[in-house]
Amino acid sequence: MHSLYTRINTGILVFIALTGVVLVTMLATRAYGGPLDPPAAPAPTMKTLQQVEPRTPISQPASFPIYISAPGSYYFTGNITGLPAQHGIVITASNVTIDLNGFVLTGGGGFWGIVAQSVSPQGLIIRNGTIKDWSIGVRADAFYQSTYEDLNVSNNTHGLWIGSGSNVRQVVAWNNNGNGLTIYQVPGAWGSIVEDSNFSRNAGLGIEVGANNVSMHGNVVHSNGSIAGIRVQPDNAFGEIIGNSIIGNVGVGVFLGANSTGNVVAGNTLAANTTGALTDGGTGNHVGEFVGGASLLGGNQYSNIVY
């Protein structure tokens, strides 16, 4: 029996010893802290100012005009007021974007608010602000593939002069002494769009179209003071005047000039234009039927053209 106890005790001691070795090994492994040298400093993560705001600011200058001679994106940092006998901004490059950033470009008895003239006149974008009190608010009649949007162009001698193949969206051209909007034909540039805009209370025409393939949809053309609310000049073709409100203009609501052809006039509402709803001096234009008993002549007609 003594021998049995001796063997049991010896086995227990051996088990305890082995367990201790295992625990010491585990603790030594867990306590291992890795290299003593500290890690390298973190790399910089700050962006440059150009990366944060990759545009060029435009602020009130000491002298005018402000020249933009390189393609790129530009933005106003505040209101800008011009000087007598000076343009506001002169653009001499293509592919320029100007964001007025909600601010106002005001004329000081100056010539043109924004004038664009380039050897490669394309890709101009002007947006998001007010242009007022200039001889011409925006003059870019040689530029094509351009966009004018979210603008208020008011109280100028003329509102906007732009080239064909361009887009006008959500623009208010109001209370100008000449036309609200004039579109000129640029050779080889087609497919202008004028939509969701307001051309009202201008002393001239609301919209004067001197280009081919101009589509006018969903515009308000009210109370303009010369010849027509919308006039398509002679020889211009394949435009659309669809779904506009054309009311209270001096002259007719829509005037299609001599030799104009292929223009579509449909789905518009016309009322109280002083000499009638429509004059069609061209051939081959597509004018929808007048409904509601209205006449093409007479000052108090209310007509909805359907096509």
Side-chain angles (χ1 to χ4, degrees), residues 129-131 148-156 159-160 168-176 180-181 195-200 202 219-220:
T130 297
I131 302 169
Y148 310 88
E149 59 187 358
D150 297 315
L151 293 172
N152 187 319
V153 185
S154 302
N155 300 306
N156 305 284
L160 297 98
V168 177
R169 299 189 184 98
Q170 296 182 340
V171 166
V172 175
W174 190 86
N175 204 40
N176 297 287
L181 170 67
E195 61 185 359
D196 301 327
S197 295
N198 187 330
F199 306 96
S200 298
N202 299 289
N219 301 292
V220 172

Side-chain angles (χ1 to χ4, degrees), residues 50 53-59 68 71-77 97 99:
Q50 186 64 19
E53 178 58 271
R55 304 187 295 173
T56 301
I58 302 175
S59 303
I68 295 177
S73 185
Y74 300 80
Y75 69 100
F76 277 30
T77 61
T97 295
D99 184 352

